[in-house]
């Protein structure tokens, strides 16, 4: 629907009805009841016709299509000083991550959650001010859909960096939706091309708006979450998405990947932020694989990064240890989501000494260039760090004991 656009015929009809009613209300009720009914029904019929007309306009193709804007992304001075940039051109990986944030995640101290309305209002104000342009991107998204779906689900968005104050750690979040994330984060490094060759860029784009800290960002920044599942005999479960996937069509992905729903937090409102992330990761895992809750022994948040291509959208990585073997996982697996292919890959990554061995996975990466999603690559990136730190800590404990 054309939000914010005045429907002139609708306004005139309602105005005439109001004036007529005020000027002679008694006569209207006593003698001209038929006129009132006709006017009311005319009003309703016109509203229905107007609604269908606006929907038809929304669905009508404008001749635009989405294309990548491969310009260099700028980072704000605060981001440059507090984040590390990581790129792997071979796999089209362009991310930033904060060592401080990852250290906080790896500690056991509770991360409290604070709801913030300021960020959500800022995002909505930006969308309302630029809805004419942003609606074109949304229409192009709709018309570019082939076999996939586009649902405007309610999401949990990150509104701040981790805040350490008086020996307490907190993070601010807010309510958002997938639509807001698409017309802010997802089109950050995209442009609209028209059939006549003219290009249109979103107001906040990679060329004009540097990626900011969450406190200063105007992008929606709904929280992404993904998970690698490891069997008890050391195999990692990998899924492959099909062409219905909105983000990683036909690409290899972690055992679960998606985003945090707003209800994931509301059901655990007073919990540690990590528990909300784990709940969302488990939900995605069950939805995508058909596995049951009793198959997960424990889950750990192992890292967070921001995807530059999606405007610095936050993505949290986790690892889950299953209490089943590879052969059991193959028997149990059943693709529940329409975006997931009905098969899984299992790669041996933990050797008999319970040490991470990435040789086979590295060979898998090299043999599937162009089909590796950012979430799969970065989950294993943080798994390497997590396992290395765990080995170091175990060695230190042994040294201390001796």
């Amino acid at each position: 629907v054309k939000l914010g656009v005045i429907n002139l015929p609708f306004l005139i009809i309602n105005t005439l009805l109001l004036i007529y009613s005020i000027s002679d209300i008694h006569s209207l009720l006593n003698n001209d009841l038929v006129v009132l009914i006709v006017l009311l029904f005319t009003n309703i019929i016109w509203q229905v016709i107007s609604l269908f007309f606006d929907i038809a306009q929304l669905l009508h193709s404008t001749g635009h299509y989405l294309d990548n804007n491969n310009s260099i992304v700028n980072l704000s001075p605060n981001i440059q000083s507090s984040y590390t940039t990581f790129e792997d051109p071979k796999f089209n990986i362009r991310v930033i991550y904060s060592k401080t944030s990852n250290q906080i995640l790896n500690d056991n101290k509770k991360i409290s959650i604070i709801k913030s309305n300021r960020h959500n209002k800022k995002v909505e104000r930006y969308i309302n001010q630029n809805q004419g342009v942003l609606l074109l991107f949304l229409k192009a998204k709709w018309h570019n859909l082939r076999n996939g779906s586009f649902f405007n689900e309610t999401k949990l968005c990150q509104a701040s960096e981790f805040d350490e104050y008086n020996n307490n750690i907190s993070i601010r979040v807010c309510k958002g939706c997938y639509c807001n994330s698409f017309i802010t984060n997802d089109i950050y490094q995209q442009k609209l091309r028209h059939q006549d060759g003219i290009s249109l860029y979103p107001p906040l784009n990679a060329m004009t708006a540097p990626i900011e800290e969450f406190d200063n960002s105007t992008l929606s920044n709904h929280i992404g979450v993904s998970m690698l599942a490891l069997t008890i005999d050391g195999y990692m479960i990998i899924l492959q998405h099909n062409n219905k996937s909105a983000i990683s069509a036909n690409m290899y992905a972690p055992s679960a990947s998606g985003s945090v729903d707003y209800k994931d937090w509301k059901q655990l409102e007073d919990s540690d932020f990590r528990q909300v992330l784990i709940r969302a990761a488990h939900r995605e895992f069950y939805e995508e694989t058909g596995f049951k809750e009793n198959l997960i022994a424990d889950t750990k948040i192992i890292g967070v990064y921001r995807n530059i291509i999606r405007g610095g959208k936050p993505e949290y990585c986790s690892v889950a240890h299953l209490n089943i073997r590879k052969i059991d996982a193959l028997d149990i697996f059943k693709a529940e989501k329409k975006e997931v292919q009905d098969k899984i890959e299992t790669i041996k990554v933990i050797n008999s000494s319970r040490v991470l061995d990435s040789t086979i996975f590295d060979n898998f990466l090299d043999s599937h260039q162009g089909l590796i999603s950012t979430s799969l690559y970065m989950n294993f990136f943080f798994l390497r760090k997590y396992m290395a730190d765990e080995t170091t800590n175990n060695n230190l404990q042994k040294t201390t004991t001796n």
Side-chain angles (χ1 to χ4, degrees):
V1 183
K2 295 179 180 179
L3 300 176
V5 178
I6 295 177
N7 191 319
L8 189 58
F10 176 55
L11 179 63
I12 293 174
I13 289 175
N14 278 278
T15 303
L16 291 176
L17 178 61
L18 180 63
I19 294 174
Y20 189 88
S21 301
I22 295 175
S23 63
D24 196 6
I25 185 65
H26 296 291
S27 175
L28 181 64
L29 292 176
N30 296 330
N31 305 317
D32 296 322
L33 187 59
V34 174
V35 176
L36 176 62
I37 293 174
V38 169
L39 285 173
L40 287 175
F41 272 95
T42 301
N43 191 7
I44 293 171
I45 291 171
W46 179 255
Q47 288 185 59
V48 173
I49 294 174
S50 178
L51 176 63
F52 277 103
F53 177 78
D54 285 344
I55 292 175
Q57 287 291 103
L58 182 64
L59 298 180
H60 176 68
S61 178
T62 61
H64 291 96
Y65 61 94
L66 291 168
D67 194 11
N68 290 328
N69 170 21
N70 295 317
S71 60
I72 298 175
V73 177
N74 295 316
L75 305 177
S76 71
N78 288 338
I79 290 289
Q80 292 180 37
S81 62
S82 58
Y83 277 75
T84 299
T85 302
F86 176 79
E87 297 187 12
D88 190 339
K90 186 164 64 173
F91 298 100
N92 195 32
I93 305 298
R94 302 173 67 191
V95 305
I96 54 176
Y97 65 91
S98 164
K99 294 180 180 178
T100 301
S101 295
N102 279 282
Q103 182 60 52
I104 289 173
L105 284 174
N106 290 329
D107 292 338
N108 294 321
K109 195 167 186 179
K110 180 180 177 180
I111 303 173
S112 301
I113 305 172
I114 301 173
K115 184 177 180 181
S116 170
N117 293 320
R118 183 181 68 87
H119 179 75
N120 189 41
K121 290 179 180 178
K122 182 167 56 173
V123 173
E124 290 182 348
R125 184 164 57 248
Y126 162 74
I127 292 174
N128 289 332
Q129 290 172 348
N130 299 280
Q131 60 180 311
V133 175
L134 298 177
L135 184 59
L136 293 176
F137 280 86
L138 197 59
K139 291 175 69 173
K141 171 70 174 180
W142 173 263
H143 290 288
N144 286 353
L145 286 174
R146 295 293 183 263
N147 302 307
S149 303
F150 189 84
F151 298 104
N152 190 27
E153 299 170 323
T154 305
K155 298 297 179 182
L156 189 70
C157 302
Q158 186 162 336
S160 75
E161 306 288 335
F162 292 122
D163 182 26
E164 295 184 82
Y165 183 72
N166 282 346
N167 206 29
N168 294 316
I169 303 174
S170 63
I171 186 172
R172 295 182 183 274
V173 300
C174 68
K175 186 177 183 180
C177 63
Y178 184 76
C179 180
N180 286 0
S181 285
F182 172 76
I183 54 180
T184 57
N185 287 95
D186 288 355
I187 65 174
Y188 177 76
Q189 206 167 7
Q190 290 188 339
K191 60 184 175 182
L192 276 182
R193 279 188 176 275
H194 195 269
Q195 295 169 351
D196 59 12
I198 299 175
S199 294
L200 179 67
Y201 296 86
L204 290 178
N205 62 74
M207 296 183 296
T208 62
I211 292 179
E212 299 277 2
E213 290 185 313
F214 292 110
D215 311 68
N216 300 320
S217 177
T218 309
L219 306 185
S220 186
N221 293 321
H222 81 269
I223 300 170
V225 65
S226 50
M227 186 176 80
L228 289 175
L230 305 178
T231 63
I232 55 177
D233 49 350
Y235 285 86
M236 180 172 66
I237 296 175
I238 296 176
L239 306 181
Q240 185 174 14
H241 291 179
N242 56 33
N243 61 356
K244 296 179 182 179
S245 175
I247 302 301
S248 52
N250 301 315
M251 304 184 84
Y252 289 97
S255 315
S257 55
S259 51
V260 182
D261 290 344
Y262 189 71
K263 62 183 179 182
D264 290 326
W265 170 54
K266 294 302 290 182
Q267 293 168 353
L268 294 172
E269 198 160 347
D270 295 325
S271 298
D272 186 340
F273 179 60
R274 300 178 191 85
Q275 294 305 312
V276 176
L277 299 174
I278 289 172
R279 179 187 181 89
H282 285 183
R283 174 179 50 77
E284 295 286 354
F285 182 61
Y286 304 144
E287 291 175 359
E288 295 180 3
T289 64
F291 284 32
K292 303 303 180 184
E293 294 183 28
N294 61 350
L295 300 181
I296 298 179
D298 66 84
T299 305
K300 172 80 172 177
I301 302 298
I302 57 175
V304 58
Y305 66 95
R306 298 181 64 180
N307 193 337
I308 288 179
I309 296 174
R310 300 181 71 184
K313 179 181 175 296
E315 304 284 348
Y316 289 83
C317 304
S318 61
V319 59
H321 294 92
L322 307 182
N323 53 24
I324 57 174
R325 296 180 299 154
K326 165 192 168 181
I327 191 170
D328 301 317
L330 293 173
D331 288 339
I332 296 171
F333 173 76
K334 180 182 178 182
E336 296 289 345
K337 275 192 171 182
K338 293 185 293 184
E339 294 86 358
V340 178
Q341 293 190 21
D342 195 19
K343 64 176 183 178
I344 57 176
E345 298 281 346
T346 54
I347 298 177
K348 184 78 170 179
V349 293
I350 307 294
N351 61 25
S352 57
S353 302
R354 308 306 298 167
V355 175
L356 182 69
D357 184 353
S358 62
T359 305
I360 300 177
F361 182 72
D362 289 336
N363 291 335
F364 178 83
L365 291 180
D366 290 334
S367 61
H368 292 84
Q369 286 188 36
L371 294 175
I372 304 300
S373 66
T374 300
S375 58
L376 174 58
Y377 186 102
M378 291 306 299
N379 264 266
F380 201 80
F381 174 87
F382 283 113
L383 181 63
R384 291 183 207 256
K385 288 180 173 293
Y386 170 69
M387 295 292 284
D389 291 343
E390 193 175 59
T391 301
T392 301
N393 291 336
N394 290 338
N395 291 337
L396 287 173
Q397 288 178 1
K398 290 179 181 178
T399 303
T400 303
T401 303
N402 294 334

